[in-house]
Structures are given as structure tokens and as C-alpha cells.
Amino acid sequence: MSGGDKLDFEIRPNPAPVSAADRAALLANPGFGRVFTDHMVTIRYAEGKGWYDARVEARAPIPMDPAAAVLHYAQEIFEGLKAYRTGDGAVTMFRPEANAARFVASAKRMAMPELPPETFVESLRRLVEIDQDWIPEHEDASLYLRPFMFASEVFLGVRPANEYLYCVIASPAGAYFAGGVKPVTVWVSPDYTRAAPGGTGAAKCGGNYATSLAAQAEAIEAGCDQVVFLDAVERRFVDELGGMNVFFVYDDNTLVTPPLTGTILPGITRDAILTLAAEAGHRVEERPVSFADWQADAASGRLREVFACGTAAVITPIGGVRFPDGEFLIGGGEPGRSTMALRQQLVDIQRGRAEDRHGWVQRVL
């Protein structure tokens, strides 16, 4: 399938969907990533044939040969975005075309075929349409969409695979962090790094997250919610959290985030915040921030707020920082005014309660 071709989806409704009563019970407290909808999308790819066999079908286990290439050489990428139910009953998605573009960039880096962006977005629409009853209606809840692709060819050999499977699954989601929006404490890893120059840091591939798990376990053992990684070359500059980008807010109304140098995932929420913060009157900078400066500026009061951001967590204030030699608070450990204002503005845009001046919100239903 070429970038301009249209792929038709075959619809195969689940013959045994979850009952309305059971679905309502699950939606009352879905948590994050624990509950899944009735259907999934699958599209196959073969070298010389292109993309084919697009389906919306019952969510089910995926048959896999023990020699499937992904199990041995980790050719796998994924995305994450949300569908929302607005106050007027509409269903929307936030910037799906940006996820589609990042999916293409990840595929290029991992030597995988590029799924046309219009097919990516259409696959999301199809799944949301058939599983719309799974979209929670209460505040801070949404339908989390997980598109992913992996090498399905059966072979052993170090080369790009010739066959792939693209899928989309959906999961009703509540707040990412238990207890809702409150300041989290982060652990600055002294030993582990997330990505190095020339590596896969800018791709959304599973391997990046696998390598963060030991550091995340270290963070939890230290009583923290998330890990912060420093750069792999000098071990001085802040890169990002285990699964989120990070921002710093200073007393002169400057908002700073580490630059995209190839080791940091180009977050879609990150990009939106840069735009909204500039419109709100912040001076916005993308520049390196050393951990030493983070600690010194927090102590002097020059640094007023720090927050993490991502699709799942949206914007989450960081109140405390721990590391092997000590710990410190930011802004007394309380949520900052700028952090919460940006968060509310972003949530209001996503849920159709504020003007969408940038065309970020796409109506599905």
C-alpha cells in the first residue's frame, strides 16, 4: 500500500461482547491499563505486497510462532493517545495526526515499514466508533488508545523483517497516578541512563522502556514515584523521566525543557505545552538543565515549579527530588500555579471546554 492508497477495513463485530452491566462496573474504577474493550484493529504487512487485510475484530490473543522476529530482535514500536467524551456528547481525539507522524519516525529508526498517517488515524476512528460505549464520562477519565507494530516474520537472522503486524487496542483509563493530581517525588538515577546519542531515544520503542525498568524499581525502593535520567555522556544534564518529559518554571516567568537532541522522546503533550505556555506569557526555552543547577535553583528559590508531562499523565507536578546523597523540595512540595493553570487549559481543550485555536482536537463521533 502506498501513502496515497486507501485501505478498506473489514468489520467483524465481537459475537460475545461484555454485557452493559459488567461494562458499567468496570468503568466505575478502570485504573490504568487494566481493563480493555471488546475489539481491536489488525493490519498486516508483507514485503512486496504492502499493507493488507485491515480488520476491526474481537479482541483476542495473537497467535505467534516462537521464531517470530520481534521475540529475538525487538523490532517493535508503539504509540499512546486518548479519546474523550465531551460535555455535549461528542467523542474527540487529541492530535492523532501528530501520533501518526511520530509512528512513522519511529518506524524509520527501527527499520520498519511506514504506516501511512491517514491509515493510522482511520484505524483509531474505527476502533473508537465500534467501542464508543467504553469511553468513561467522569472527569480525568478517557479511552486510552494503544497502536503498536511488531515484526511477525518467522526467521532467525539479524536483518529487518519482511512481515509485520499492526494493531490497535483500547483501554478505559482513570488517573495515571493513584490519588489523582498531586505532587510526585522523583528519583535521580546515579547509575542508569535511558538513551545515548545515536541510539533510539527519540523513537517510541519498547526497548527504551524495558531499559528504564531497573531504574524505576530503584526509584520505588527509594520511596519515589518516577525516575529521572541524566544524559549518557556527561551524566550532568536532565534528559527525561522514565515515561514523561520534564519542564522547569523559574521566578522570572521562564519555562524551560531539555532540547530534542535525539535522546529524548519528542512528546506531543510537550509540544502542546510549549505553544500554550508561550501564549500564556511565559518565556519558553529549550536548553540543557544540569542536575546541579536544578538543586541550586530550588534551594535559592529561583526555581519555582517543576512538572512532568505525557499522554497518560497529562501534566503532573513534581514536589520532591531524591538522589543517593540527599533530597530537596520544589516550591515547598506543593503544586505550582503555572503548572496547574497549564494543566487545566490543556484538559479543557482536550475535552472541548475551551477554544481549540490550533486545530488539535479531532471529532470522531
Side-chain angles (χ1 to χ4, degrees):
M1 173 182 174
S2 67
D5 295 335
K6 181 176 175 60
L7 196 62
D8 292 326
F9 285 79
E10 180 184 358
I11 309 299
R12 298 181 176 182
N14 190 329
V18 174
S19 70
D22 288 344
R23 184 176 61 242
L26 291 168
L27 291 179
N29 183 26
F32 186 86
R34 296 188 293 106
V35 176
F36 298 92
T37 65
D38 292 309
H39 296 86
M40 62 190 284
V41 169
T42 59
I43 309 176
R44 298 188 176 276
Y45 176 91
E47 185 70 22
K49 185 174 183 178
W51 295 100
Y52 69 100
D53 198 15
R55 299 179 184 178
V56 179
E57 57 190 345
R59 183 182 178 274
I62 300 171
M64 183 176 292
D65 191 282
V70 66
L71 299 177
H72 303 272
Y73 309 111
Q75 268 191 297
E76 183 272 347
I77 59 174
F78 68 97
E79 273 299 326
L81 66 160
K82 293 177 177 178
Y84 306 87
R85 194 177 298 280
T86 64
D88 62 359
V91 174
T92 62
M93 292 187 292
F94 184 71
R95 305 188 69 185
E97 75 293 336
N99 291 92
R102 191 169 65 182
F103 200 70
V104 167
S106 294
K108 288 181 179 179
R109 179 61 185 86
M110 301 300 288
M112 302 171 75
E114 299 169 25
L115 183 72
E118 61 271 23
T119 301
F120 179 96
V121 174
E122 182 65 14
S123 71
L124 303 175
R125 291 181 178 276
R126 295 283 187 157
L127 186 58
V128 171
E129 182 178 18
I130 199 168
D131 279 341
Q132 59 183 282
D133 290 340
W134 284 93
I135 305 174
E137 297 190 15
H138 52 281
E139 186 69 16
D140 283 334
S142 58
L143 184 66
Y144 185 81
L145 304 172
R146 171 53 61 87
F148 61 99
M149 177 169 63
F150 64 89
S152 57
E153 183 184 1
V154 178
F155 84 104
L156 297 179
V158 183
R159 63 163 173 79
N162 291 322
E163 297 175 5
Y164 296 85
L165 180 64
Y166 167 80
C167 303
V168 189
I169 57 175
S171 174
Y176 183 75
F177 288 110
V181 182
K182 61 182 181 180
V184 297
T185 301
V186 297
W187 170 257
V188 180
S189 177
D191 302 314
Y192 299 103
T193 60
R194 177 183 174 274
T200 60
K204 198 166 179 66
C205 61
N208 291 341
Y209 294 81
T211 58
S212 75
L213 297 179
Q216 179 63 26
E218 186 180 66
I220 292 172
E221 186 176 350
C224 299
D225 302 284
Q226 265 282 343
V227 62
V228 176
F229 290 106
L230 303 181
D231 74 285
V233 178
E234 299 185 54
R235 303 291 184 94
R236 290 178 53 209
F237 299 101
V238 178
D239 262 3
E240 64 174 288
L241 276 68
M244 289 167 278
N245 297 120
V246 63
F247 280 83
F248 303 85
V249 184
Y250 294 88
D251 60 359
D252 62 355
N253 210 34
T254 300
L255 186 143
V256 177
T257 192
L260 301 178
T261 58
T263 63
I264 295 173
L265 185 72
I268 292 162
T269 304
R270 174 190 181 275
D271 181 70
I273 290 168
L274 289 172
T275 299
L276 295 177
E279 292 176 349
H282 289 280
R283 187 172 69 215
V284 176
E285 297 180 2
E286 296 180 75
R287 62 171 173 81
V289 176
S290 71
F291 177 59
D293 286 344
W294 184 357
Q295 188 174 3
D297 291 341
S300 70
R302 180 169 175 262
L303 179 65
R304 296 294 177 85
E305 307 171 36
V306 181
F307 62 85
C309 68
T311 297
V314 189
I315 293 178
T316 299
I318 296 174
V321 182
R322 292 178 185 166
F323 52 103
D325 296 328
E327 61 183 304
F328 59 91
L329 295 178
I330 301 158
E334 296 299 320
R337 182 179 302 174
S338 296
T339 297
M340 299 311 291
L342 284 168
R343 185 186 193 281
Q344 191 61 55
Q345 185 181 7
L346 185 57
V347 169
D348 285 345
I349 292 171
Q350 291 171 336
R351 295 183 177 277
R353 297 192 296 251
E355 182 183 0
D356 176 27
R357 295 191 298 272
H358 304 284
W360 288 339
V361 176
Q362 287 197 19
R363 181 163 179 157
V364 183
L365 299 170

